[in-house]
Amino acid sequence: MVVDLRKRTCTCRFWQLTGMPCMHAISCMQDKNDKRAEEYCHEWLTMEAYRKTYAFHVNPVKGQDLWEKTGRPTLVSPPIKPKPGRPTKNRRKDKDEEGSGSKTRMKRKYNPI
Ligand SMILES: [Zn+2]
């Protein structure tokens, strides 16, 4: 594998994809006695970025019992209207499921002649 520490690339592409140096790059760093592997990580993977992400917090929402009362009527779902025609008896099968046919009865199989 070809490693470029300046461009932070390796031909195995692990470093480019994850932002973390791969084992090839780490061995190069150790050979060069260069900076620590953590210093070659992408800035998104640093502890500072993690702290920035969670610097602000989201307050939990109060439960429905604690909501402010408006005095307006509550919302009600619309009534269910019966569809025209006879209601279907059988469940609609999914695409993955097999077609109609009983599972207890077996089909007769004929060997090719
Ligand atoms: Zn590599």
Side-chain angles (χ1 to χ4, degrees):
M1 300 293 166
V2 180
V3 177
D4 192 337
L5 290 174
R6 285 187 195 143
K7 290 181 184 173
R8 298 181 178 205
T9 57
C10 179
T11 49
C12 78
R13 298 184 58 217
F14 180 85
W15 201 355
Q16 293 94 303
L17 289 170
T18 62
M20 289 185 289
C22 61
M23 58 185 164
H24 317 112
I26 291 171
S27 71
C28 288
M29 288 169 209
Q30 288 173 346
D31 283 348
K32 274 189 79 180
N33 214 359
D34 206 13
K35 294 184 260 180
R36 291 175 32 212
E38 290 87 11
E39 293 172 34
Y40 280 100
C41 285
H42 196 274
E43 62 187 58
W44 293 345
L45 303 171
T46 58
M47 202 62 205
E48 189 181 331
Y50 178 85
R51 286 194 186 110
K52 273 185 186 175
T53 303
Y54 294 104
F56 305 100
H57 60 276
V58 177
N59 289 323
V61 178
K62 292 177 187 174
Q64 196 170 354
D65 301 339
L66 303 171
W67 288 358
E68 192 177 320
K69 304 278 186 224
T70 57
R72 293 183 182 155
T74 55
L75 294 175
V76 182
S77 61
I80 299 169
K81 293 177 190 171
K83 301 263 169 95
R86 191 188 187 107
T88 54
K89 238 178 154 183
N90 297 333
R91 178 179 61 90
R92 270 186 264 159
K93 291 190 175 174
D94 203 39
K95 288 176 185 175
D96 304 343
E97 287 180 292
E98 293 174 14
S100 63
S102 174
K103 298 225 172 184
T104 53
R105 289 189 68 185
M106 294 181 74
K107 270 190 167 180
R108 187 176 291 172
K109 289 180 182 175
Y110 296 102
N111 290 331
I113 300 168

